[in-house]
């Protein structure tokens, strides 16, 4: 027996295909990638720096509160607002578009609210600050 006879057997039963009616329920419909919205992943890191007390749980909770408030204020615009603020602080307001200036102002307001939420239960935080960096 040759390889052709082994793999291309003529005695195999014919494959029967079933036609799917066009009015199938939504759950049986084929998956369409065009209908899926992209999932927004966290594209920044926010950490509490120079906190004098080594309580890891308190730091973790403070960072979570900070991040939650920042995302509540800015939504998906956290990284664009951060970049607009960095551009505004490195150059003059005349070098930026109106949208960038508005986004930078939103960053200032959101960062202040997030900082207040993050430091809420920490106590002595004279030198501590939140550092936000895009990934």
């Amino acid at each position: 027996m040759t390889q052709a006879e082994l793999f291309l057997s003529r005695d195999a039963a014919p494959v029967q295909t079933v036609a799917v009616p066009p009015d199938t329920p939504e759950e049986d419909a084929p998956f369409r990638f065009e209908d899926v919205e992209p999932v927004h992943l966290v594209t920044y890191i926010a950490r509490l720096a120079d906190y004098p007390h080594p309580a890891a749980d308190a730091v973790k909770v403070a960072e979570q509160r900070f991040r939650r408030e920042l995302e509540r204020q800015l939504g998906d615009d956290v990284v664009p607002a951060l970049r607009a603020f960095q551009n505004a602080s490195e150059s003059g307001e005349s070098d930026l578009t109106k949208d960038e200036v508005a986004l930078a102002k939103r960053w200032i307001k959101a960062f202040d609210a997030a900082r207040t939420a993050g430091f809420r239960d920490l106590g002595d935080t004279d030198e501590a600050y939140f550092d936000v960096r895009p990934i």
Side-chain angles (χ1 to χ4, degrees):
M1 178 178 274
T2 65
Q3 285 185 347
E5 292 172 345
L6 180 65
F7 293 109
L8 300 174
S9 174
R10 294 179 190 197
D11 297 337
V15 177
Q16 191 175 31
T17 58
V18 178
V20 178
D23 56 340
T24 59
E26 188 66 33
E27 61 212 28
D28 293 337
F31 187 74
R32 296 180 52 132
F33 287 101
E34 298 87 25
D35 297 339
V36 177
E37 293 184 23
V39 176
H40 298 285
L41 301 175
V42 176
T43 57
Y44 66 95
I45 296 173
R47 66 177 197 87
L48 180 61
D50 292 342
Y51 184 62
H53 306 292
D57 290 338
V59 170
K60 184 177 178 182
V61 169
E63 289 172 349
Q64 288 173 346
R65 270 196 308 253
F66 176 83
R67 198 175 300 116
R68 191 176 325 126
E69 182 64 25
L70 198 61
E71 289 172 358
R72 189 180 75 74
Q73 294 280 329
L74 295 171
D76 290 337
D77 292 337
V78 173
V79 173
L82 172 60
R83 290 199 173 122
F85 175 75
Q86 290 170 339
N87 289 342
S89 58
E90 293 172 1
S91 63
E93 196 172 308
S94 61
D95 297 337
L96 303 172
T97 65
K98 290 180 182 179
D99 292 336
E100 288 175 325
V101 171
L103 209 51
K105 289 180 181 179
R106 282 184 60 204
W107 171 262
I108 294 169
K109 180 182 174 191
F111 186 83
D112 188 43
R115 183 179 54 218
T116 301
F119 284 137
R120 184 176 62 212
D121 296 331
L122 290 183
D124 182 28
T125 57
D126 291 336
E127 296 178 8
Y129 62 96
F130 284 98
D131 183 29
V132 182
R133 294 182 184 183
I135 296 177

